[in-house]
Amino acid sequence: ASPLPLHTLLPRWCSSQLLILIEQLLKSPYFPVLFSFTVYMTFCLPYVALDFLSTKVPAVRKYKIQSLSYPTLGMMVPCMVQCVYHHIVFIFPVTLAHWYWRPVDLPVMAPELPRVLLDVTVCLLLFDFQYFLWHLLHHKVPWLYKTFHKVHHKHVSTFALTTQYSSVWELLSLGFFAAINPVLLNCHPLTEMIFFLVNIWLSVEDHSGYEFPWSTNRLMPFGLYGGAPHHDLHHLKFKCNYAPYFTHWDRLFGTLAVYLGGKCASLSLTQCES
């Protein structure tokens, strides 16, 4: 048999080499921290651009939840510096330990779509519950609030880069919840990555300070999902809306408050107090 021409072999060789490089990257101890930081900044940057545009463009400003508050460059830079510092000094060593404890194993077969959707949804619901309890505890116990959580409440009007503006304890403990849930559910690595993407996106959207017609809370019916208005009101009033995403736990615990006509309307007695 005659040998195959170079122009036929080259794409096959490039394809196989690319797959090998991708697999090596995914199995690298550097990948989780690079993935986390890159995805986080990618989701934040469009909102950063909107923050600068909103001061000059009324068409953008009308979607801002607290329309009279604008983050400045002087407010954004410390958030950026702290994020880089935390990823290098704290998150990377933790992900390195996680990589050593649980090396990445890439199955040949990808999971079926229904299983991916189910696992991602369950991971989100579990994280929402864990975050709610953690958050409620850190607001109800003064020592926990002052020692660990207060830094996250520096900005009453949230913007995207405040998403990870928090203490090391808060960043690592909530990161632990996000990381352990796919392990507990024995999720496929692809499902785990999709969950991280969705979780980071929802967190950034929560802190963005904007509500668009296509925002997640507008797409989910019956007020089941709080979104950016839900979390923005938490930063504004402090005593309400402890769940990060969904509203059912705040309803059950009587800590749900909503914006009605631009004002805080509480569903219990104290949530809209200053």
Side-chain angles (χ1 to χ4, degrees):
S2 59
L4 292 172
L6 182 61
H7 71 273
T8 302
L9 289 173
L10 189 59
R12 294 183 183 180
W13 181 85
C14 290
S15 176
S16 63
Q17 290 301 307
L18 182 60
L19 289 174
I20 292 171
L21 288 173
I22 292 173
E23 184 174 357
Q24 289 175 343
L25 175 63
L26 293 175
K27 290 184 175 182
S28 166
Y30 306 102
F31 176 73
V33 69
L34 290 173
F35 175 81
S36 171
F37 181 77
T38 303
V39 169
Y40 173 66
M41 290 308 306
T42 300
F43 288 155
C44 282
L45 286 176
Y47 286 114
V48 171
L50 288 176
D51 286 331
F52 287 115
L53 280 174
S54 65
T55 61
K56 300 178 180 179
V57 182
V60 175
R61 191 183 310 135
K62 71 178 183 178
Y63 295 113
K64 204 168 187 317
I65 298 169
Q66 296 188 44
S67 58
L68 299 179
S69 299
Y70 302 99
T72 64
L73 188 61
M75 296 163 66
M76 294 180 183
V77 170
C79 296
M80 279 283 298
V81 171
Q82 190 200 64
C83 180
V84 173
Y85 175 78
H86 280 173
H87 274 80
I88 294 173
V89 177
F90 298 105
I91 296 179
F92 174 63
V94 170
T95 57
L96 186 63
H98 180 267
W99 170 83
Y100 180 79
W101 167 61
R102 188 172 174 257
V104 177
D105 180 28
L106 299 176
V108 176
M109 300 297 294
E112 295 182 354
L113 181 59
R115 179 60 188 269
V116 172
L117 296 176
L118 176 63
D119 284 349
V120 169
T121 301
V122 174
C123 282
L124 282 174
L125 289 170
L126 275 175
F127 180 79
D128 189 75
F129 173 65
Q130 293 158 341
Y131 190 116
F132 173 80
L133 292 181
W134 184 100
H135 201 183
L136 185 66
L137 184 65
H138 281 70
H139 272 267
K140 297 301 182 183
V141 179
W143 179 80
L144 289 175
Y145 179 81
K146 292 177 182 178
T147 307
F148 300 116
H149 189 51
K150 186 177 180 179
V151 63
H152 186 62
H153 277 276
K154 177 180 178 180
H155 300 284
V156 176
S157 178
T158 58
F159 51 95
L161 290 171
T162 62
T163 305
Q164 293 189 8
Y165 191 73
S166 57
S167 67
V168 175
W169 162 251
E170 180 168 351
L171 190 67
L172 293 181
S173 56
L174 296 180
F176 172 77
F177 294 149
I180 199 66
N181 290 334
V183 177
L184 294 175
L185 294 174
N186 194 28
C187 291
H188 190 282
L190 177 61
T191 304
E192 190 173 355
M193 190 177 298
I194 292 172
F195 165 64
F196 289 153
L197 282 168
V198 174
N199 197 38
I200 294 171
W201 162 250
L202 294 179
S203 297
V204 171
E205 186 190 42
D206 260 11
H207 291 84
S208 68
Y210 292 90
E211 183 184 21
F212 296 102
W214 54 85
S215 293
T216 310
N217 61 294
R218 293 286 190 93
L219 300 178
M220 292 194 68
F222 312 119
L224 296 174
Y225 187 88
H230 180 83
H231 198 68
D232 187 89
L233 197 52
H234 169 74
H235 276 259
L236 185 63
K237 296 296 181 179
F238 296 98
K239 296 182 179 180
C240 61
N241 300 354
Y242 298 106
Y245 306 140
F246 302 97
T247 58
H248 54 276
W249 291 114
D250 281 306
R251 290 181 190 275
L252 288 171
F253 279 76
T255 56
L256 181 65
V258 296
Y259 277 116
L260 286 178
K263 296 182 179 180
C264 175
S266 175
L267 300 187
S268 67
L269 296 177
T270 61
Q271 268 54 271
C272 286
E273 294 177 358
S274 298

Coordinates of all heavy atoms in Angstrom, one line a residue, residues 115-131 177-188 191-196 198-199 202 244-246:
R115 N -28.5 13.5 32.4 CA -27.7 13.3 33.6 C -26.9 14.6 34.0 O -26.8 14.9 35.1 CB -26.8 12.1 33.4 CG -25.9 11.8 34.7 CD -26.8 11.5 35.9 NE -26.0 11.4 37.1 CZ -25.4 10.3 37.6 NH1 -25.6 9.2 36.9 NH2 -24.7 10.3 38.7
V116 N -26.3 15.2 32.9 CA -25.6 16.5 33.2 C -26.5 17.5 33.8 O -26.2 18.2 34.8 CB -25.0 17.0 31.9 CG1 -24.4 18.4 32.1 CG2 -23.9 16.1 31.4
L117 N -27.7 17.7 33.2 CA -28.6 18.7 33.7 C -29.1 18.4 35.1 O -29.2 19.3 35.9 CB -29.8 18.8 32.7 CG -29.5 19.3 31.3 CD1 -30.8 19.2 30.5 CD2 -29.0 20.7 31.3
L118 N -29.4 17.1 35.4 CA -29.8 16.7 36.7 C -28.7 17.0 37.7 O -29.0 17.6 38.8 CB -30.2 15.2 36.7 CG -30.6 14.7 38.1 CD1 -31.8 15.4 38.6 CD2 -30.8 13.2 38.0
D119 N -27.5 16.5 37.4 CA -26.4 16.7 38.4 C -26.0 18.2 38.6 O -25.8 18.6 39.8 CB -25.1 16.0 37.9 CG -25.2 14.5 38.0 OD1 -26.1 14.0 38.7 OD2 -24.4 13.7 37.5
V120 N -26.0 19.0 37.6 CA -25.7 20.4 37.8 C -26.8 21.1 38.6 O -26.5 21.9 39.5 CB -25.6 21.1 36.4 CG1 -25.6 22.6 36.6 CG2 -24.4 20.6 35.7
T121 N -28.1 20.7 38.4 CA -29.2 21.3 39.2 C -29.1 20.9 40.6 O -29.3 21.7 41.5 CB -30.5 20.8 38.6 OG1 -30.6 21.2 37.2 CG2 -31.7 21.4 39.4
V122 N -28.8 19.6 40.9 CA -28.7 19.1 42.3 C -27.5 19.8 43.0 O -27.6 20.2 44.1 CB -28.6 17.6 42.3 CG1 -28.3 17.1 43.8 CG2 -29.8 17.0 41.8
C123 N -26.4 20.0 42.3 CA -25.2 20.6 42.8 C -25.6 22.1 43.2 O -25.2 22.6 44.2 CB -24.0 20.6 41.8 SG -23.2 19.1 41.7
L124 N -26.3 22.8 42.3 CA -26.7 24.2 42.6 C -27.6 24.2 43.8 O -27.5 25.1 44.6 CB -27.4 24.7 41.4 CG -26.5 25.2 40.2 CD1 -27.3 25.6 39.0 CD2 -25.6 26.3 40.6
L125 N -28.6 23.3 43.9 CA -29.5 23.3 45.0 C -28.8 23.0 46.3 O -29.1 23.6 47.4 CB -30.6 22.3 44.8 CG -31.6 22.7 43.7 CD1 -32.6 21.5 43.4 CD2 -32.5 23.9 44.1
L126 N -27.8 22.1 46.3 CA -27.0 21.8 47.5 C -26.2 23.0 47.9 O -26.2 23.4 49.1 CB -26.1 20.6 47.2 CG -26.7 19.2 47.4 CD1 -25.7 18.1 47.0 CD2 -27.1 19.0 48.9
F127 N -25.5 23.6 46.9 CA -24.7 24.8 47.2 C -25.6 25.9 47.8 O -25.2 26.6 48.7 CB -24.0 25.2 46.0 CG -23.1 26.4 46.2 CD1 -21.9 26.3 46.8 CD2 -23.5 27.7 45.8 CE1 -21.0 27.4 47.0 CE2 -22.7 28.8 46.0 CZ -21.5 28.7 46.6
D128 N -26.7 26.1 47.2 CA -27.7 27.2 47.7 C -28.0 26.9 49.1 O -28.1 27.9 49.9 CB -28.9 27.1 46.8 CG -29.8 28.3 47.0 OD1 -29.5 29.4 46.6 OD2 -30.9 28.1 47.7
F129 N -28.3 25.7 49.5 CA -28.7 25.4 50.9 C -27.5 25.6 51.8 O -27.6 26.2 52.9 CB -29.1 23.9 51.0 CG -29.3 23.4 52.4 CD1 -30.3 24.0 53.2 CD2 -28.6 22.4 52.9 CE1 -30.5 23.5 54.5 CE2 -28.7 21.9 54.2 CZ -29.7 22.5 55.0
Q130 N -26.3 25.1 51.4 CA -25.1 25.2 52.2 C -24.7 26.7 52.4 O -24.4 27.2 53.5 CB -23.9 24.5 51.6 CG -24.1 23.0 51.5 CD -23.2 22.4 50.5 OE1 -22.8 23.0 49.5 NE2 -23.0 21.0 50.6
Y131 N -24.8 27.5 51.3 CA -24.5 28.9 51.4 C -25.5 29.6 52.3 O -25.1 30.5 53.1 CB -24.5 29.5 50.0 CG -24.0 30.9 49.9 CD1 -22.9 31.2 49.1 CD2 -24.7 32.0 50.5 CE1 -22.4 32.5 48.9 CE2 -24.2 33.3 50.3 CZ -23.1 33.5 49.6 OH -22.6 34.8 49.4
F177 N -17.6 24.1 49.6 CA -18.9 23.6 49.3 C -19.1 23.3 47.8 O -19.6 22.3 47.4 CB -20.0 24.6 49.7 CG -20.0 24.9 51.2 CD1 -20.4 26.1 51.7 CD2 -19.7 23.9 52.1 CE1 -20.4 26.3 53.1 CE2 -19.8 24.1 53.5 CZ -20.1 25.3 53.9
A178 N -18.6 24.3 47.0 CA -18.7 24.1 45.5 C -17.9 22.9 45.0 O -18.4 22.2 44.1 CB -18.3 25.4 44.8
A179 N -16.8 22.6 45.6 CA -15.9 21.5 45.2 C -16.4 20.2 45.7 O -16.2 19.2 44.9 CB -14.5 21.8 45.6
I180 N -17.0 20.1 46.9 CA -17.3 18.8 47.4 C -18.6 18.3 46.9 O -18.8 17.0 46.8 CB -17.4 18.9 49.0 CG1 -17.3 17.6 49.6 CG2 -18.7 19.6 49.4 CD1 -15.9 16.9 49.5
N181 N -19.5 19.1 46.4 CA -20.8 18.6 46.0 C -20.7 17.7 44.8 O -21.3 16.6 44.7 CB -21.8 19.7 45.7 CG -22.2 20.4 47.0 OD1 -22.2 19.9 48.0 ND2 -22.6 21.7 46.9
P182 N -19.9 18.0 43.7 CA -19.8 17.1 42.6 C -19.1 15.8 43.0 O -19.4 14.7 42.5 CB -18.9 17.9 41.6 CG -19.1 19.3 42.0 CD -19.3 19.3 43.4
V183 N -18.2 15.8 44.0 CA -17.6 14.6 44.5 C -18.6 13.7 45.2 O -18.7 12.5 45.0 CB -16.4 15.0 45.5 CG1 -15.8 13.7 46.1 CG2 -15.4 15.8 44.8
L184 N -19.5 14.4 46.1 CA -20.5 13.6 46.8 C -21.5 12.9 45.8 O -22.0 11.8 46.1 CB -21.2 14.5 47.7 CG -20.4 15.1 48.9 CD1 -21.3 16.1 49.7 CD2 -19.9 14.0 49.8
L185 N -21.7 13.6 44.7 CA -22.7 13.1 43.7 C -22.0 12.2 42.7 O -22.7 11.7 41.8 CB -23.4 14.2 43.0 CG -24.3 15.1 43.9 CD1 -24.9 16.3 43.1 CD2 -25.5 14.2 44.5
N186 N -20.7 12.1 42.8 CA -19.9 11.3 41.8 C -20.1 11.7 40.4 O -20.4 11.0 39.5 CB -20.3 9.8 42.0 CG -19.3 8.9 41.2 OD1 -18.1 9.2 41.1 ND2 -19.8 7.7 40.8
C187 N -20.0 13.0 40.2 CA -20.3 13.6 38.9 C -19.1 13.4 37.9 O -18.0 13.2 38.4 CB -20.4 15.2 39.0 SG -21.9 15.7 39.9
H188 N -19.5 13.3 36.7 CA -18.5 13.2 35.6 C -17.6 14.5 35.6 O -18.1 15.6 35.9 CB -19.2 13.0 34.3 CG -18.3 12.7 33.1 ND1 -17.5 13.6 32.5 CD2 -18.1 11.5 32.5 CE1 -16.9 13.0 31.5 NE2 -17.2 11.7 31.5
T191 N -19.3 17.3 33.8 CA -20.4 17.8 34.6 C -19.9 18.8 35.7 O -20.4 19.8 35.9 CB -21.2 16.7 35.2 OG1 -21.7 15.8 34.2 CG2 -22.4 17.3 36.0
E192 N -18.8 18.3 36.3 CA -18.2 19.2 37.4 C -17.7 20.5 36.8 O -17.9 21.6 37.4 CB -17.0 18.4 37.9 CG -16.4 19.0 39.2 CD -15.3 18.1 39.8 OE1 -15.1 17.0 39.3 OE2 -14.7 18.5 40.8
M193 N -17.1 20.5 35.6 CA -16.6 21.7 35.0 C -17.8 22.6 34.6 O -17.8 23.9 34.8 CB -15.8 21.4 33.8 CG -15.1 22.6 33.2 SD -14.0 22.2 31.8 CE -12.8 21.0 32.6
I194 N -18.9 22.0 34.1 CA -20.1 22.8 33.7 C -20.7 23.4 35.0 O -21.1 24.6 35.0 CB -21.1 21.9 33.0 CG1 -20.5 21.5 31.6 CG2 -22.4 22.6 32.8 CD1 -21.4 20.4 30.9
F195 N -20.8 22.7 36.1 CA -21.3 23.2 37.3 C -20.5 24.4 37.8 O -21.0 25.4 38.2 CB -21.3 22.1 38.4 CG -21.5 22.7 39.8 CD1 -22.6 23.4 40.2 CD2 -20.5 22.6 40.8 CE1 -22.8 23.9 41.5 CE2 -20.6 23.1 42.0 CZ -21.8 23.8 42.4
F196 N -19.1 24.3 37.7 CA -18.3 25.4 38.1 C -18.5 26.6 37.3 O -18.6 27.8 37.8 CB -16.8 25.0 38.1 CG -16.4 24.1 39.1 CD1 -15.3 23.2 38.9 CD2 -17.0 24.0 40.3 CE1 -14.9 22.3 39.9 CE2 -16.6 23.1 41.3 CZ -15.6 22.3 41.1
V198 N -21.3 27.4 35.6 CA -22.7 28.0 36.0 C -22.6 28.7 37.3 O -23.2 29.8 37.5 CB -23.7 26.8 36.0 CG1 -25.1 27.4 36.5 CG2 -23.9 26.2 34.6
N199 N -21.9 28.1 38.3 CA -21.9 28.6 39.6 C -21.1 30.0 39.6 O -21.6 30.9 40.3 CB -21.2 27.6 40.6 CG -21.4 28.0 42.0 OD1 -22.5 28.4 42.4 ND2 -20.4 27.8 42.8
L202 N -23.4 32.6 37.9 CA -24.5 33.1 38.7 C -24.1 33.9 39.9 O -24.7 34.9 40.2 CB -25.3 31.8 39.3 CG -26.0 31.0 38.2 CD1 -26.7 29.8 38.9 CD2 -27.0 31.8 37.5
P244 N -28.1 32.5 48.1 CA -27.4 33.2 47.0 C -28.2 33.2 45.7 O -28.2 34.2 45.0 CB -26.2 32.3 46.8 CG -26.6 31.0 47.3 CD -27.5 31.2 48.4
Y245 N -29.0 32.2 45.5 CA -29.7 32.1 44.2 C -31.2 31.9 44.3 O -31.9 32.8 43.9 CB -29.1 30.9 43.4 CG -27.6 30.8 43.2 CD1 -26.9 29.6 43.3 CD2 -26.9 32.0 43.0 CE1 -25.5 29.6 43.2 CE2 -25.5 32.0 42.8 CZ -24.9 30.8 43.0 OH -23.5 30.8 42.8
F246 N -31.6 30.9 44.9 CA -33.1 30.6 44.9 C -33.7 31.3 46.1 O -33.0 31.8 47.0 CB -33.3 29.1 44.9 CG -32.7 28.3 43.8 CD1 -31.5 27.7 43.9 CD2 -33.4 28.3 42.6 CE1 -30.9 27.1 42.8 CE2 -32.8 27.6 41.5 CZ -31.6 27.0 41.6

